[in-house]
Amino acid sequence: MAGSKQKLWLSKSTYLRSLQCPKALYLYKNFYQFRDKPSAKQQASFDRGHRVGRLAQLLFPGGIYIRPASPRGWPKAIEATSKLLANKQEIIYEAAFQHDGVMCAVDILVQNGSFYDVYEVKSSPGVRQVYIEDMALQYWVLRRQKIQLGKVYLLLPKKPQDGFIDLHMDDMEAIDYTEQLAAMVLDVEEGVRAAARTLTLDNAPEVAMGEQCLKPYPCDFQSTCKRGYR
Ligand code: SF4
């Protein structure tokens, strides 16, 4: 497994941002301060996602949580993951990996014999294409790093949960996407190359506002683009 000395230039979230709109990636990397603040509804959704993520860890007890307190800590988290795997740690929460500077954190990594299974946790029922793109990047990074990857599961509630005071495995559905993700490797490579091309530009790519500004997630540069930033 490669070390973490390489500059981390793309993450899961910036990769997904690039797929949604290359201009959004460019602005995020070059004009981060121009982002719109999340609405109360968006913030509530982020908070719920974090809460469910932590509750889901309790379904796989005994793991080690290595998410850093700030993004600057990811290189150390990548090194820590590498050491934990070398020591055959059975369960890791937010295990971190990088390949060619593209990093991802795995919600829950679980040893299964000589393989490691990945669980990507979502807080609401219903599969969305963006979840699959997210898992496809994880699959690509881990396979390129020669991790003994077993299955990749999407773990999500079977029905909307009120309050999320606790979670039980019976409430959750684990859907195996491994085969589908294996067939997406070339798409991920093209997506990563496209992001790299965007980030070599001197100016933001010209993209007209449209459906992509709201889907799959509301873009946080809408005010900037409405003001006519080019
Ligand atoms: S507001 Fe729309 S056009 Fe502007 S960066 Fe976001 S997604 Fe792209």
Side-chain angles (χ1 to χ4, degrees):
M1 190 169 155
S4 55
K5 299 282 183 253
Q6 183 141 18
K7 183 171 186 282
L8 303 176
W9 65 277
L10 198 68
S11 64
K12 274 198 313 185
S13 61
T14 48
Y15 171 74
L16 295 176
R17 187 179 276 274
S18 174
L19 292 185
Q20 180 168 348
C21 175
K23 186 175 179 182
L25 174 67
Y26 184 94
L27 292 175
Y28 184 85
K29 289 284 192 177
N30 294 286
F31 297 97
Y32 184 81
Q33 70 279 16
F34 289 173
R35 287 176 314 138
D36 300 330
K37 285 202 170 66
S39 65
K41 190 175 164 199
Q42 284 171 318
Q43 191 58 54
S45 171
F46 296 151
D47 293 346
R48 195 172 70 131
H50 288 139
R51 199 161 62 244
V52 173
R54 295 309 297 262
L55 285 171
Q57 291 167 6
L58 301 176
L59 302 174
F60 300 87
I64 295 181
Y65 180 71
I66 57 164
R67 187 182 185 89
S70 94
R72 280 198 299 273
W74 281 118
K76 282 197 171 153
I78 291 168
E79 280 181 21
T81 300
S82 184
K83 284 181 188 151
L84 289 170
L85 293 184
N87 290 333
K88 309 266 183 262
Q89 172 65 32
E90 289 182 7
I91 298 175
I92 307 174
Y93 313 128
E94 304 282 351
F97 300 90
Q98 72 87 23
H99 178 72
D100 284 350
V102 180
M103 72 145 291
C104 68
V106 169
D107 286 342
I108 304 172
L109 191 71
V110 180
Q111 193 176 39
N112 184 0
S114 51
F115 295 91
Y116 275 96
D117 293 339
V118 164
Y119 289 83
E120 170 67 20
V121 180
K122 297 298 175 197
S123 60
S124 49
V127 177
R128 300 174 66 189
Q129 180 61 24
V130 67
Y131 300 165
I132 298 169
E133 306 284 3
D134 178 332
M135 292 187 291
L137 184 74
Q138 297 178 53
Y139 181 95
W140 180 78
V141 171
L142 270 66
R143 290 305 296 258
R144 287 289 178 265
Q145 283 297 292
K146 308 209 179 321
I147 303 300
Q148 293 290 96
L149 186 57
K151 302 285 188 188
V152 181
Y153 296 101
L154 183 62
L155 184 67
L156 69 181
K158 289 177 184 164
K159 56 184 184 188
Q161 303 282 314
D162 286 334
F164 280 112
I165 294 165
D166 59 9
L167 269 184
H168 302 278
M169 211 47 168
D170 287 350
D171 302 324
M172 306 295 281
E173 182 177 18
I175 310 172
D176 178 3
Y177 274 96
T178 319
E179 272 187 34
Q180 189 170 335
L181 303 179
M184 292 172 71
V185 162
L186 294 181
D187 295 337
V188 173
E189 292 199 340
E190 177 47 33
V192 170
R193 278 196 297 270
R197 285 194 296 272
T198 297
L199 295 178
T200 61
L201 297 174
D202 291 331
N203 295 297
E206 286 190 25
V207 181
M209 290 188 77
E211 262 193 4
Q212 84 282 0
C213 305
L214 297 173
K215 289 182 185 169
Y217 301 116
C219 177
D220 46 10
F221 286 104
Q222 291 183 61
S223 302
T224 304
C225 286
K226 279 178 190 156
R227 284 198 304 269
Y229 178 88
R230 297 187 59 189

PDB file of all heavy atoms in Angstrom, residues 55-72:
ATOM      1  N   LEU A  55     -24.082   5.733  14.584  1.00  0.00           N
ATOM      2  CA  LEU A  55     -24.928   4.648  15.092  1.00  0.00           C
ATOM      3  C   LEU A  55     -24.661   3.345  14.338  1.00  0.00           C
ATOM      4  O   LEU A  55     -24.639   2.259  14.930  1.00  0.00           O
ATOM      5  CB  LEU A  55     -26.410   5.024  14.953  1.00  0.00           C
ATOM      6  CG  LEU A  55     -26.948   6.042  15.957  1.00  0.00           C
ATOM      7  CD1 LEU A  55     -28.352   6.472  15.562  1.00  0.00           C
ATOM      8  CD2 LEU A  55     -26.956   5.459  17.364  1.00  0.00           C
ATOM      9  N   ALA A  56     -24.431   3.471  13.042  1.00  0.00           N
ATOM     10  CA  ALA A  56     -24.176   2.262  12.239  1.00  0.00           C
ATOM     11  C   ALA A  56     -22.896   1.572  12.695  1.00  0.00           C
ATOM     12  O   ALA A  56     -22.772   0.343  12.601  1.00  0.00           O
ATOM     13  CB  ALA A  56     -24.095   2.626  10.756  1.00  0.00           C
ATOM     14  N   GLN A  57     -21.938   2.359  13.195  1.00  0.00           N
ATOM     15  CA  GLN A  57     -20.696   1.737  13.687  1.00  0.00           C
ATOM     16  C   GLN A  57     -20.987   0.772  14.839  1.00  0.00           C
ATOM     17  O   GLN A  57     -20.284  -0.226  15.011  1.00  0.00           O
ATOM     18  CB  GLN A  57     -19.717   2.823  14.134  1.00  0.00           C
ATOM     19  CG  GLN A  57     -19.188   3.633  12.958  1.00  0.00           C
ATOM     20  CD  GLN A  57     -18.480   4.899  13.383  1.00  0.00           C
ATOM     21  OE1 GLN A  57     -18.276   5.149  14.567  1.00  0.00           O
ATOM     22  NE2 GLN A  57     -18.095   5.710  12.411  1.00  0.00           N
ATOM     23  N   LEU A  58     -22.034   1.078  15.615  1.00  0.00           N
ATOM     24  CA  LEU A  58     -22.364   0.207  16.746  1.00  0.00           C
ATOM     25  C   LEU A  58     -22.873  -1.159  16.276  1.00  0.00           C
ATOM     26  O   LEU A  58     -22.907  -2.118  17.050  1.00  0.00           O
ATOM     27  CB  LEU A  58     -23.421   0.868  17.640  1.00  0.00           C
ATOM     28  CG  LEU A  58     -23.016   2.223  18.235  1.00  0.00           C
ATOM     29  CD1 LEU A  58     -24.177   2.830  19.013  1.00  0.00           C
ATOM     30  CD2 LEU A  58     -21.791   2.057  19.122  1.00  0.00           C
ATOM     31  N   LEU A  59     -23.279  -1.238  15.016  1.00  0.00           N
ATOM     32  CA  LEU A  59     -23.709  -2.528  14.469  1.00  0.00           C
ATOM     33  C   LEU A  59     -22.511  -3.434  14.200  1.00  0.00           C
ATOM     34  O   LEU A  59     -22.661  -4.628  13.967  1.00  0.00           O
ATOM     35  CB  LEU A  59     -24.498  -2.319  13.165  1.00  0.00           C
ATOM     36  CG  LEU A  59     -25.742  -1.430  13.259  1.00  0.00           C
ATOM     37  CD1 LEU A  59     -26.334  -1.188  11.878  1.00  0.00           C
ATOM     38  CD2 LEU A  59     -26.773  -2.069  14.179  1.00  0.00           C
ATOM     39  N   PHE A  60     -21.330  -2.820  14.165  1.00  0.00           N
ATOM     40  CA  PHE A  60     -20.079  -3.573  13.943  1.00  0.00           C
ATOM     41  C   PHE A  60     -19.140  -3.203  15.095  1.00  0.00           C
ATOM     42  O   PHE A  60     -18.182  -2.438  14.919  1.00  0.00           O
ATOM     43  CB  PHE A  60     -19.458  -3.180  12.596  1.00  0.00           C
ATOM     44  CG  PHE A  60     -20.340  -3.440  11.416  1.00  0.00           C
ATOM     45  CD1 PHE A  60     -21.266  -2.489  11.009  1.00  0.00           C
ATOM     46  CD2 PHE A  60     -20.250  -4.635  10.707  1.00  0.00           C
ATOM     47  CE1 PHE A  60     -22.096  -2.723   9.918  1.00  0.00           C
ATOM     48  CE2 PHE A  60     -21.074  -4.871   9.610  1.00  0.00           C
ATOM     49  CZ  PHE A  60     -21.996  -3.923   9.228  1.00  0.00           C
ATOM     50  N   PRO A  61     -19.410  -3.711  16.291  1.00  0.00           N
ATOM     51  CA  PRO A  61     -18.670  -3.224  17.463  1.00  0.00           C
ATOM     52  C   PRO A  61     -17.206  -3.653  17.474  1.00  0.00           C
ATOM     53  O   PRO A  61     -16.819  -4.612  16.807  1.00  0.00           O
ATOM     54  CB  PRO A  61     -19.438  -3.852  18.637  1.00  0.00           C
ATOM     55  CG  PRO A  61     -20.167  -5.006  18.057  1.00  0.00           C
ATOM     56  CD  PRO A  61     -20.417  -4.722  16.606  1.00  0.00           C
ATOM     57  N   GLY A  62     -16.446  -2.889  18.237  1.00  0.00           N
ATOM     58  CA  GLY A  62     -15.046  -3.279  18.468  1.00  0.00           C
ATOM     59  C   GLY A  62     -14.066  -2.687  17.484  1.00  0.00           C
ATOM     60  O   GLY A  62     -12.884  -3.048  17.485  1.00  0.00           O
ATOM     61  N   GLY A  63     -14.526  -1.784  16.635  1.00  0.00           N
ATOM     62  CA  GLY A  63     -13.617  -1.207  15.644  1.00  0.00           C
ATOM     63  C   GLY A  63     -12.849  -0.015  16.185  1.00  0.00           C
ATOM     64  O   GLY A  63     -13.079   0.447  17.303  1.00  0.00           O
ATOM     65  N   ILE A  64     -11.942   0.476  15.357  1.00  0.00           N
ATOM     66  CA  ILE A  64     -11.156   1.665  15.712  1.00  0.00           C
ATOM     67  C   ILE A  64     -11.566   2.792  14.765  1.00  0.00           C
ATOM     68  O   ILE A  64     -11.627   2.603  13.538  1.00  0.00           O
ATOM     69  CB  ILE A  64      -9.647   1.378  15.594  1.00  0.00           C
ATOM     70  CG1 ILE A  64      -9.261   0.330  16.624  1.00  0.00           C
ATOM     71  CG2 ILE A  64      -8.828   2.661  15.776  1.00  0.00           C
ATOM     72  CD1 ILE A  64      -7.791  -0.031  16.622  1.00  0.00           C
ATOM     73  N   TYR A  65     -11.848   3.948  15.374  1.00  0.00           N
ATOM     74  CA  TYR A  65     -12.322   5.115  14.612  1.00  0.00           C
ATOM     75  C   TYR A  65     -11.132   6.014  14.342  1.00  0.00           C
ATOM     76  O   TYR A  65     -10.473   6.465  15.281  1.00  0.00           O
ATOM     77  CB  TYR A  65     -13.371   5.848  15.450  1.00  0.00           C
ATOM     78  CG  TYR A  65     -13.980   7.072  14.826  1.00  0.00           C
ATOM     79  CD1 TYR A  65     -14.864   6.970  13.761  1.00  0.00           C
ATOM     80  CD2 TYR A  65     -13.690   8.339  15.321  1.00  0.00           C
ATOM     81  CE1 TYR A  65     -15.446   8.096  13.200  1.00  0.00           C
ATOM     82  CE2 TYR A  65     -14.275   9.475  14.761  1.00  0.00           C
ATOM     83  CZ  TYR A  65     -15.151   9.339  13.704  1.00  0.00           C
ATOM     84  OH  TYR A  65     -15.732  10.454  13.149  1.00  0.00           O
ATOM     85  N   ILE A  66     -10.877   6.290  13.068  1.00  0.00           N
ATOM     86  CA  ILE A  66      -9.658   7.064  12.812  1.00  0.00           C
ATOM     87  C   ILE A  66      -9.906   8.328  12.009  1.00  0.00           C
ATOM     88  O   ILE A  66      -8.959   8.922  11.506  1.00  0.00           O
ATOM     89  CB  ILE A  66      -8.583   6.209  12.104  1.00  0.00           C
ATOM     90  CG1 ILE A  66      -9.126   5.642  10.807  1.00  0.00           C
ATOM     91  CG2 ILE A  66      -8.055   5.118  12.981  1.00  0.00           C
ATOM     92  CD1 ILE A  66      -8.004   5.144   9.951  1.00  0.00           C
ATOM     93  N   ARG A  67     -11.165   8.770  11.920  1.00  0.00           N
ATOM     94  CA  ARG A  67     -11.405  10.013  11.186  1.00  0.00           C
ATOM     95  C   ARG A  67     -10.704  11.169  11.900  1.00  0.00           C
ATOM     96  O   ARG A  67     -10.867  11.343  13.106  1.00  0.00           O
ATOM     97  CB  ARG A  67     -12.908  10.295  11.109  1.00  0.00           C
ATOM     98  CG  ARG A  67     -13.231  11.477  10.213  1.00  0.00           C
ATOM     99  CD  ARG A  67     -14.725  11.774  10.181  1.00  0.00           C
ATOM    100  NE  ARG A  67     -15.003  12.834   9.240  1.00  0.00           N
ATOM    101  CZ  ARG A  67     -15.264  12.646   7.960  1.00  0.00           C
ATOM    102  NH1 ARG A  67     -15.315  11.436   7.479  1.00  0.00           N
ATOM    103  NH2 ARG A  67     -15.462  13.658   7.155  1.00  0.00           N
ATOM    104  N   PRO A  68      -9.926  11.976  11.162  1.00  0.00           N
ATOM    105  CA  PRO A  68      -9.231  13.079  11.833  1.00  0.00           C
ATOM    106  C   PRO A  68     -10.187  14.218  12.168  1.00  0.00           C
ATOM    107  O   PRO A  68     -11.258  14.342  11.574  1.00  0.00           O
ATOM    108  CB  PRO A  68      -8.202  13.526  10.784  1.00  0.00           C
ATOM    109  CG  PRO A  68      -8.798  13.126   9.471  1.00  0.00           C
ATOM    110  CD  PRO A  68      -9.620  11.898   9.724  1.00  0.00           C
ATOM    111  N   ALA A  69      -9.755  15.058  13.097  1.00  0.00           N
ATOM    112  CA  ALA A  69     -10.593  16.188  13.511  1.00  0.00           C
ATOM    113  C   ALA A  69     -10.667  17.249  12.421  1.00  0.00           C
ATOM    114  O   ALA A  69     -11.639  18.001  12.355  1.00  0.00           O
ATOM    115  CB  ALA A  69     -10.034  16.789  14.802  1.00  0.00           C
ATOM    116  N   SER A  70      -9.660  17.318  11.562  1.00  0.00           N
ATOM    117  CA  SER A  70      -9.701  18.294  10.471  1.00  0.00           C
ATOM    118  C   SER A  70      -9.133  17.642   9.213  1.00  0.00           C
ATOM    119  O   SER A  70      -8.376  16.668   9.299  1.00  0.00           O
ATOM    120  CB  SER A  70      -8.898  19.547  10.832  1.00  0.00           C
ATOM    121  OG  SER A  70      -7.590  19.437  10.337  1.00  0.00           O
ATOM    122  N   PRO A  71      -9.462  18.181   8.035  1.00  0.00           N
ATOM    123  CA  PRO A  71      -8.976  17.562   6.786  1.00  0.00           C
ATOM    124  C   PRO A  71      -7.458  17.455   6.721  1.00  0.00           C
ATOM    125  O   PRO A  71      -6.923  16.581   6.049  1.00  0.00           O
ATOM    126  CB  PRO A  71      -9.514  18.504   5.697  1.00  0.00           C
ATOM    127  CG  PRO A  71     -10.700  19.168   6.314  1.00  0.00           C
ATOM    128  CD  PRO A  71     -10.387  19.300   7.782  1.00  0.00           C
ATOM    129  N   ARG A  72      -6.763  18.340   7.435  1.00  0.00           N
ATOM    130  CA  ARG A  72      -5.289  18.257   7.416  1.00  0.00           C
ATOM    131  C   ARG A  72      -4.791  16.943   7.995  1.00  0.00           C
ATOM    132  O   ARG A  72      -3.649  16.550   7.778  1.00  0.00           O
ATOM    133  CB  ARG A  72      -4.697  19.419   8.223  1.00  0.00           C
ATOM    134  CG  ARG A  72      -4.660  20.720   7.456  1.00  0.00           C
ATOM    135  CD  ARG A  72      -3.679  21.687   8.109  1.00  0.00           C
ATOM    136  NE  ARG A  72      -4.067  22.002   9.479  1.00  0.00           N
ATOM    137  CZ  ARG A  72      -4.917  22.975   9.814  1.00  0.00           C
ATOM    138  NH1 ARG A  72      -5.428  23.728   8.868  1.00  0.00           N
ATOM    139  NH2 ARG A  72      -5.230  23.193  11.064  1.00  0.00           N
TER     140      ARG A  72
END
